[in-house]
Amino acid sequence: MHTGFGAFLSPLHAPGQDPHLTIRRDIQLVEHLDELNFDECWFGEHHSLSWPTVGAPETLIAALADRTRQIKLANGVVTLPFHHPFHVANRAIMLDHLTRGRYILGVGPGATPNDAHMLGVDPGELKRMAREAIPTVMELVNGEERISEKTDWYTLQDAKMQLPRYSEPGIEIAVSSVGTPNSPQIAGKYGLGLLSFGAPPPGWPAVDLARQWSYAEESAEEHGRTVDRRTWRIAVPLHIAETREEAFRDVREGFGKWLHGYWGEAVGADVLGGLEGVPESRHLEATVEQGRAVVGSVEDAVEAIRHLRETTGGFGTFLTYVVNWASFEKVKRSFELLATEVAPRFTGTADRGLESVRWSTENRALFPHTEPLRTRLAATTR
């Protein structure tokens, strides 16, 4: 299966930095990804804990609509219980126009209790509210009927978008999953794409990604739908450099701040769950060995992504979860290596050139006038 490549930005930045400048940096990074011909970039929605800095990803997508040429821009994701479905649909159709069809609407229930607390939403109700809103948003965005419905948290009366969508037959919609059967089953029920976080947060149990996809397939069959692996995205933290040793040096300090500062201090997670008995100096190595991140050389990245394809049965797009463990210049270099040396192994873009070299080598006898240069040089010196 052809594997696409993209990025997922929460985005995450260590507290203490100027947020204005980190926003500008995120914009510069996406422009860089567009020049490198990456397929997609997803933007998270967060309202607390300082590290994830963007609460209105639609504004970033709008800003980047005119700054990029070919990369698809996606909500990753709209936290549906925090928004009226009518407004979600309105913004989606506007972004579909601004990007000229390069927009993907990602939706989900959200997973940050702090955000839900500030908005007075019971965290235990998030999944239920998202399940209610998804078919409504689908009809408003891609349907033709007027909708009237009343729930305990929103009301619609003869609602229909007055602006036509730009994309036909419709805007792509995907649902996010952090490991439970809930989102894959929703994706299957409605025939939506699936965005899976392949590397669960510290302290969380490992995710069986192959089972995640089977949940979607089983649900699709039950509801008379189909799901396509090409619309399945898997996000994993990744950083590569010219050598494995350099890659680990690049990210070690940033990884420690992220592990203990974000997940440990801000989130309050048990960051040492799964790292029992591992000395702190090897926490990064253990995280990589557990498959919760990819850090290393080009060959290390190729092997890790190949292994992920084999264990999952195949997926459409590998997303680098941008955790900013390294400097901005090192992050950009990692993406350059990913685009130029890793991605072609999976996209096939370098196959014809390699085949041309092989054919020329195997058919050398057809070109007797191109005898090795050293033979000709030896003849001229006799």
Side-chain angles (χ1 to χ4, degrees), residues 107-126:
V107 296
T112 306
N114 302 54
D115 292 354
H117 172 78
M118 290 195 296
L119 291 168
V121 179
D122 181 354
E125 293 292 302
L126 293 176

Side-chain angles (χ1 to χ4, degrees), residues 123-351:
E125 293 292 302
L126 293 176
K127 291 181 180 178
R128 188 268 300 180
M129 295 167 73
R131 285 195 298 269
E132 287 180 350
I134 284 174
T136 302
V137 169
M138 290 175 60
E139 180 61 32
L140 289 170
V141 170
N142 288 328
E144 302 298 335
E145 301 300 320
R146 291 191 176 273
I147 299 178
S148 295
E149 63 182 35
K150 185 177 180 63
T151 73
D152 60 348
W153 62 286
Y154 70 82
T155 298
L156 288 166
Q157 296 180 165
D158 301 316
K160 183 178 181 179
M161 297 293 101
Q162 66 173 352
L163 186 67
R165 56 191 173 271
Y166 180 89
S167 296
E168 291 298 343
I171 297 171
E172 183 179 358
I173 301 176
V175 61
S176 65
S177 171
V178 293
T180 70
N182 179 67
S183 290
Q185 289 170 346
I186 291 173
K189 180 178 181 178
Y190 297 108
L192 303 179
L194 182 65
L195 167 62
S196 297
F197 290 89
W204 289 34
V207 175
D208 185 343
L209 290 169
R211 186 69 183 107
Q212 287 274 294
W213 187 254
S214 67
Y215 286 134
E217 290 181 322
E218 291 164 5
S219 178
E221 183 177 1
E222 178 184 350
H223 293 92
R225 300 270 188 172
T226 59
V227 285
D228 189 339
R229 286 180 180 270
R230 289 174 295 182
T231 64
W232 186 18
R233 286 89 174 177
I234 297 179
V236 178
L238 175 145
H239 180 83
I240 52 180
E242 275 71 13
T243 68
R244 182 183 302 172
E245 293 74 20
E246 181 182 353
F248 274 85
R249 285 197 304 270
D250 289 347
V251 304
R252 191 173 299 281
E253 182 179 354
F255 168 81
K257 291 179 179 179
W258 170 86
L259 179 66
H260 299 287
Y262 177 42
W263 289 107
E265 180 182 3
V267 177
D270 176 17
V271 298
L272 298 182
L275 294 173
E276 296 87 351
V278 179
E280 186 171 347
S281 61
R282 290 203 76 258
H283 282 176
L284 174 58
E285 283 80 358
T287 299
V288 173
E289 290 164 4
Q290 293 170 4
R292 294 174 182 251
V294 178
V295 178
S297 65
V298 165
E299 291 303 323
D300 290 329
V302 169
E303 178 56 33
I305 296 170
R306 184 173 290 137
H307 178 71
L308 188 61
R309 288 209 312 180
E310 292 171 353
T311 55
T312 59
F315 52 90
T317 305
F318 178 90
L319 299 177
T320 293
Y321 190 174
V322 183
V323 283
N324 287 312
W325 292 341
S327 69
F328 187 39
E329 292 306 316
K330 295 286 189 178
V331 169
K332 290 197 296 182
R333 179 56 181 159
S334 176
F335 274 112
E336 289 169 1
L337 291 170
L338 181 61
T340 59
E341 300 189 36
V342 177
R345 310 275 192 100
F346 300 94
T347 62
T349 54
D351 288 356

